[in-house]
Amino acid sequence: MTLMELKEQVIKNKQLQPLFIFTGDETVILNIYIDKICKLFNGTVQKADSVKAVYTQLNSRSLIKRTKTCYIVRDDKDFINQSESAWEEFTKGKVQKDNIVILVYQTLDRRSKFFKHNQNNIVIFDKLGKDILTKYTLKELPGMDKKYAEELVEICEHCYERILLECDKIRNLSKASNFTYSDAFKYAMENKFIWIPPEDAVFSFVDACLKRNVESCYYYLNECKRIGENSLIIISNLYTNFRALLQVKSVGYSKEICNITGLNIMQVKNVSDKVNNYTLDELLRALRLIHYCETSIKNGTIAEDIIIDYLLVNLL
């Protein structure tokens, strides 16, 4: 079953089936559809540890009349290893009767016998593409400039859950400050209200060092520390970029700069607008300092938790 079939046949036409099997990385959308099914079912919702526990409960004798129940079972590996006849009993609702079961798996092997046998009941929630996420972002923040919506999607690394959290932040900022959503986004970016992913934090820290922007350097350094970025990774990125800056500054403007320096066009472009921030002597000193810091970590003469602070004090 495709996601579109789930939306049209089940949700829109209200045609619930005895068994649903959900899997995939897009957990936010997955959980939204679980909620939709539960609302359509209009009965009790109960989490169960396993399909076996559901079977035991449904077949136990009780003096109390049971209400119809939607059972949600997550990552029950035992059920995957059951026989085809056992799967069929649940697929056809012989066990559930008026009840339904939603199985949720983090991952499923598409080559497995279980997957092939239950294809009509399995819905895969793959990661959403940029265009869809941008559309969803604009739905959350109507009137926002599309380019800012696209930027937010990239900042959140195409993670819908993070996008929703940042949208909520922008909405609250807009309401409190009487900003448009576009202005609220720009204000949030300028004032570092939107969380920067680890990879971006390292890149932004290095970029701030190349620009000699002291305030930004310490902000992104704190971000790197907060997410536990390895000091040697930071130092390695610093050395690579300062060496590129020295090469570009030494050569000056030349159509053959890539051939002369051995850098690719993106590396050249990344440092070209920063060549006036340091003299050649300062760049040579910076490379010696970065190399010294790397050696100091490896031989233990300077503690790793203060090495980047030491580097900044002597670099800027």
Side-chain angles (χ1 to χ4, degrees):
M1 179 187 294
T2 65
L3 181 56
M4 185 59 68
E5 287 172 340
L6 175 67
K7 184 177 179 180
E8 292 294 325
Q9 297 175 18
V10 178
I11 305 302
K12 188 176 179 180
N13 295 330
K14 301 180 180 180
Q15 295 179 354
L16 294 177
Q17 57 193 47
L19 177 68
F20 293 94
I21 305 172
F22 291 170
T23 186
D25 296 322
E26 198 55 78
T27 55
V28 174
I29 304 295
L30 186 153
N31 288 325
I32 286 173
Y33 275 93
I34 289 178
D35 290 341
K36 287 178 181 289
I37 290 171
C38 291
K39 287 177 182 177
L40 280 177
F41 181 67
N42 193 27
T44 302
V45 178
Q46 181 179 325
K47 294 180 181 179
D49 293 330
S50 64
V51 174
K52 184 178 180 180
V54 173
Y55 183 89
T56 301
Q57 183 172 327
L58 291 176
N59 285 278
S60 63
R61 294 182 178 181
S62 176
L63 296 175
I64 303 172
K65 185 180 179 180
R66 293 193 184 93
T67 57
K68 63 177 186 175
T69 303
C70 172
Y71 295 94
I72 301 172
V73 182
R74 294 182 181 271
D75 287 313
D76 183 2
K77 303 300 182 185
D78 288 336
F79 187 66
I80 291 177
N81 297 321
Q82 295 296 318
S83 64
E84 291 186 18
S85 59
W87 299 336
E88 281 296 315
E89 284 188 342
F90 277 89
T91 300
K92 295 178 178 179
K94 292 179 180 179
V95 176
Q96 301 96 306
K97 297 179 182 177
D98 293 334
N99 308 287
I100 65 173
V101 174
I102 303 175
L103 297 178
V104 182
Y105 291 97
Q106 189 172 0
T107 58
L108 279 177
D109 186 350
R110 303 189 189 196
R111 301 164 300 175
S112 68
K113 188 176 181 180
F114 176 79
F115 189 93
K116 292 175 181 177
H117 184 85
N118 293 284
Q119 283 188 72
N120 292 334
N121 298 87
I122 294 175
V123 183
I124 302 171
F125 292 83
D126 289 322
K127 281 290 185 183
L128 300 174
K130 181 180 177 180
D131 291 342
I132 297 295
L133 288 171
T134 300
K135 181 181 177 181
Y136 283 0
T137 302
L138 292 172
K139 187 176 180 180
E140 292 288 327
L141 303 171
M144 186 186 202
D145 194 311
K146 185 179 179 181
K147 68 178 181 181
Y148 295 132
E150 291 174 337
E151 186 177 349
L152 182 60
V153 169
E154 292 298 329
I155 289 170
C156 294
E157 299 178 312
H158 297 200
C159 175
Y160 188 45
E161 186 173 12
R162 281 181 53 200
I163 290 170
L164 290 177
L165 290 172
E166 298 300 348
C167 284
D168 190 52
K169 198 181 296 180
I170 291 167
R171 240 187 330 265
N172 290 334
L173 179 60
S174 172
K175 185 177 179 180
S177 304
N178 199 26
F179 287 155
T180 64
Y181 289 140
S182 293
D183 289 339
F185 171 76
K186 288 189 288 184
Y187 185 87
M189 289 295 292
E190 289 167 2
N191 290 275
K192 316 295 190 299
F193 293 159
I194 293 177
W195 184 72
I196 306 294
E199 294 81 5
D200 288 352
V202 175
F203 175 82
S204 298
F205 171 72
V206 172
D207 191 62
C209 289
L210 294 175
K211 291 177 179 177
R212 298 191 100 158
N213 186 326
V214 177
E215 184 180 351
S216 291
C217 281
Y218 280 100
Y219 170 78
Y220 288 115
L221 174 58
N222 287 332
E223 281 292 292
C224 290
K225 288 180 178 179
R226 186 173 66 82
I227 51 87
E229 193 59 73
N230 188 296
S231 296
L232 283 173
I233 291 176
I234 298 172
I235 288 173
S236 175
N237 276 277
L238 280 170
Y239 189 87
T240 300
N241 281 273
F242 269 89
R243 184 178 60 185
L245 184 58
L246 174 63
Q247 290 174 293
V248 172
K249 189 175 180 69
S250 299
V251 173
Y253 176 76
S254 171
K255 292 182 179 180
E256 298 297 319
I257 192 167
C258 290
N259 292 330
I260 296 170
T261 62
L263 301 171
N264 62 48
I265 190 64
M266 290 304 298
Q267 289 173 309
V268 172
K269 185 178 179 181
N270 185 48
V271 299
S272 292
D273 61 337
K274 305 173 183 77
V275 292
N276 295 323
N277 296 334
Y278 293 86
T279 65
L280 287 173
D281 287 341
E282 285 175 326
L283 288 172
L284 287 168
R285 179 178 173 275
L287 288 174
R288 287 194 292 268
L289 173 64
I290 295 168
H291 178 69
Y292 169 75
C293 289
E294 181 182 20
T295 304
S296 296
I297 288 179
K298 291 178 178 179
N299 62 28
T301 54
I302 301 178
E304 186 176 349
D305 59 346
I306 64 167
I307 193 71
I308 307 299
D309 295 272
Y310 171 85
L311 193 154
L312 283 183
V313 168
N314 289 278
L315 179 66
L316 301 176

